[in-house]
């Protein structure tokens, strides 16, 4: 009759400064020794020989070969030494004083002897070659570094981790029964999601200076100078043309860490659904001719939240520095000593035409392009037929913009495309010429957001090639 199998009890071990033993000198033993050293443990390796990886660890962390008068392992000697090597086979007694043992000799008889001694001494044992011998198992681990709860926070825990501003570590451990390869694959998938920011990374429990000042921050009015707590940070994140898959990996990760998100109307708003319920979302979206939250107020919002210690993401459509007023927001934050990170985004000036099959440059058709807001200086752009003009936010003044381009020397027959809601559910392309595009757009009911492209590259769009399309 076989004994019933019970589920394991997962937990973490704090091994800093505690003695551990690794029996074996091969590559598996080297990996185990490295992991224990990374955890701060004092490690004794018992083996008649060691592989190259273990020899390198001994050169960095180790001492001269160790061995007691009675054949027992000696503690590492020398200032800062945490790794010692007993150059012989395993003997009963080598586990004296140990908190944990890993055996990876490749010899079933030796591993069984180590496991039996560990059981008798009430020491947890990891057996690399035979899980049935083990009383502990090492999971597949994914780790990622994230900023501390706020700049200047001091994390609770061992003294070596209590440094202001130090990045914290998120650790995910995966057990998959007795199938380590499956555990490794799950681990790798989780690690990829962590790095991409697709899993929540934001600290929830305040620590250190942040916890001490939270109550004051909640009751603070408009803040123009830092409280006792260290200031937070602001990230100006370009979200691309609106599709949630077109934001950068860095931008998505910062969103996953944010305490406050200040979002535009044209940003990838679908990502807001992935935020935690306790993340504050401030909507400052603008529509043509209607700016309910003026830029000065947006600047004040960013400064206020950062000065009370929060991590703020300013989520913008396109790129922060392409008609996004990101430079003004950067200046406002820097004036108050707030650290700012700028994350580029895919500008709609290039991506939205691409969604309609229009490259802004193309060999033989266009050697360059100019991006304008659609109502400023349109008459000053090059009138050459091989130069593309991209107009943002210009639907309401399309007729006068077209007239200005013709007056500057462009042919009235120059192809034009207006692309509405690029990458959105109502994406549509309306084509015409400088002479006809205003009427075509009016008849089609074109409305913002829309990007207008002027130049011969428009002829590459499938919409231009459609025989029934009036031009």
């Amino acid at each position: 009759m076989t004994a019933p199998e019970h589920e394991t009890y997962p937990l973490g071990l704090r091994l800093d400064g505690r003695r551990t033993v690794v029996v074996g000198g091969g590559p598996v033993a080297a990996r185990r020794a490295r992991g224990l050293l990374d955890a701060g443990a004092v490690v004794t390796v018992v083996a008649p020989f060691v592989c190259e990886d273990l020899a390198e660890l001994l050169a960095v962390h180790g001492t001269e070969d160790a061995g007691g008068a009675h054949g027992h392992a000696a503690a590492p000697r020398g200032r800062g030494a945490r790794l010692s090597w007993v150059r012989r086979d395993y003997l009963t007694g080598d586990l004296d004083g140990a908190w944990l043992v890993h055996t990876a000799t490749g010899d079933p008889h030796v591993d069984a002897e180590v496991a039996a001694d560990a059981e008798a001494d009430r020491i947890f044992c990891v057996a690399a070659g035979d899980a049935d011998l083990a009383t502990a198992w090492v999971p597949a681990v994914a780790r990622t570094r994230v900023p501390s709860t706020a700049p200047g926070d001091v994390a609770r825990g061992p003294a070596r981790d209590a440094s202001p501003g130090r990045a914290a570590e998120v650790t995910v451990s995966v057990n998959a029964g007795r199938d380590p390869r499956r555990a490794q694959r799950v681990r790798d998938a989780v690690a990829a999601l962590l790095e991409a920011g697709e899993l929540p990374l934001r600290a929830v429990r305040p620590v250190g200076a942040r916890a001490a000042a939270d109550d004051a921050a909640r009751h603070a009015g408009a803040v123009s100078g830092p409280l006792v707590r260290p200031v937070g940070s602001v990230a100006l994140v370009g979200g691309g043309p609106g599709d949630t898959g077109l934001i950068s990996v860095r931008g998505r990760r910062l969103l996953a860490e944010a305490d406050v998100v200040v979002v535009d109307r044209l940003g990838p708003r679908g990502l807001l659904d992935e935020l935690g319920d306790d993340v504050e979302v401030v909507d400052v979206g603008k529509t043509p001719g209607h700016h309910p939250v003026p830029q000065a107020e947006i600047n004040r919002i960013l400064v206020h939240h950062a000065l009370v210690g929060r991590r703020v993401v300013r989520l913008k459509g396109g790129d922060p520095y392409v008609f996004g007023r990101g430079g003004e927001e950067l200046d406002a934050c820097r004036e108050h000593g707030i650290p700012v990170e700028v994350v580029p985004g895919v500008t709609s000036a290039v991506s939205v035409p691409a969604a309609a099959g229009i490259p802004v440059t193309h060999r033989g058709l266009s050697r360059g392009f100019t991006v304008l807001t659609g109502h400023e200086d349109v008459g000053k752009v090059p009138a050459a037929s091989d130069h593309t003009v991209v107009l943002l936010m210009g639907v309401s003044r399309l007729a006068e913009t077209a007239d200005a381009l013709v007056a500057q020397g462009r042919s009235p027959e120059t192809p034009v495309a207006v692309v509405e809601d690029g990458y959105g559910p109502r994406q549509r392309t309306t084509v015409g010429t400088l002479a006809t595009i205003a009427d075509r757009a009016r008849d089609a009911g074109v409305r913002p957001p829309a990007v207008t492209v002027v130049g011969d590259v428009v002829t590459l769009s499938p919409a231009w090639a459609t025989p029934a399309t009036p031009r």
Side-chain angles (χ1 to χ4, degrees), residues 200-361:
L201 291 172
R202 189 176 64 90
V204 175
R205 177 182 294 176
V207 296
R210 178 172 183 167
D214 261 349
D215 187 63
R218 281 193 295 271
H219 294 89
V223 176
S224 58
L227 301 177
V228 175
R229 72 193 297 168
V231 299
S233 61
V234 171
L236 307 179
V237 175
D243 187 295
T244 58
L246 293 178
I247 188 173
S248 68
V249 171
R250 178 60 181 164
R252 190 151 190 165
R253 176 159 180 160
L254 287 168
L255 268 178
E257 299 168 359
D259 301 309
V260 179
V261 177
V262 182
V263 64
D264 273 348
R265 179 176 66 96
L266 300 181
R269 299 174 73 92
L271 294 175
L272 301 180
D273 296 336
E274 302 176 5
L275 301 176
D277 293 339
D278 55 344
V279 177
E280 183 173 352
V281 176
V282 183
D283 192 336
V284 295
K286 303 173 183 178
T287 57
H290 181 58
H291 299 171
V293 185
Q295 187 61 47
E297 177 63 12
I298 295 173
N299 295 347
R300 189 201 66 79
I301 291 170
L302 298 177
V303 169
H304 167 78
H305 285 292
L307 288 180
V308 297
R310 298 175 183 134
R311 287 192 298 270
V312 184
V313 166
R314 175 71 170 102
L315 182 60
K316 294 173 169 288
D319 183 275
Y321 283 177
V322 180
F323 298 113
R325 307 190 73 170
E328 299 171 49
E329 294 167 354
L330 176 73
D331 290 342
C333 292
R334 284 182 171 173
E335 286 175 5
H336 292 83
I338 298 167
V340 181
E341 177 178 353
V342 180
V343 180
V346 181
T347 173
S348 58
V350 173
S351 59
V352 170
I358 304 172
V360 293
T361 63

Side-chain angles (χ1 to χ4, degrees), residues 75-263:
R77 304 176 202 165
R79 186 170 183 176
R82 292 191 292 114
L83 177 64
S84 61
W85 176 24
V86 178
R87 191 183 301 198
R88 56 163 173 73
D89 290 324
Y90 171 80
L91 296 174
T92 296
D94 284 343
L95 306 186
D96 289 352
W99 293 70
L100 179 69
V101 59
H102 288 253
T103 181
T105 66
D107 185 328
H109 300 292
V110 176
D111 287 343
E113 182 182 1
V114 174
D117 288 346
E119 180 72 16
D121 292 340
R122 298 185 178 182
I123 300 170
F124 282 105
C125 175
V126 179
D130 188 346
D132 289 333
L133 293 175
T135 52
W137 294 264
V138 177
V141 175
R143 290 187 173 93
T144 187
R145 307 292 291 181
V146 297
S148 59
T149 305
D153 266 359
V154 177
R156 294 171 184 167
R160 60 191 176 88
D161 289 334
S163 55
R166 180 170 181 157
E169 182 178 81
V170 172
T171 303
V172 177
S173 302
V174 181
N175 276 310
R178 296 181 181 178
D179 190 343
R181 291 186 179 180
R182 180 172 63 173
Q184 290 166 5
R185 290 178 180 177
V186 174
R187 183 258 332 260
D188 292 344
V190 171
L193 293 173
L194 287 170
E195 290 300 322
E198 295 186 30
L199 296 178
L201 291 172
R202 189 176 64 90
V204 175
R205 177 182 294 176
V207 296
R210 178 172 183 167
D214 261 349
D215 187 63
R218 281 193 295 271
H219 294 89
V223 176
S224 58
L227 301 177
V228 175
R229 72 193 297 168
V231 299
S233 61
V234 171
L236 307 179
V237 175
D243 187 295
T244 58
L246 293 178
I247 188 173
S248 68
V249 171
R250 178 60 181 164
R252 190 151 190 165
R253 176 159 180 160
L254 287 168
L255 268 178
E257 299 168 359
D259 301 309
V260 179
V261 177
V262 182
V263 64

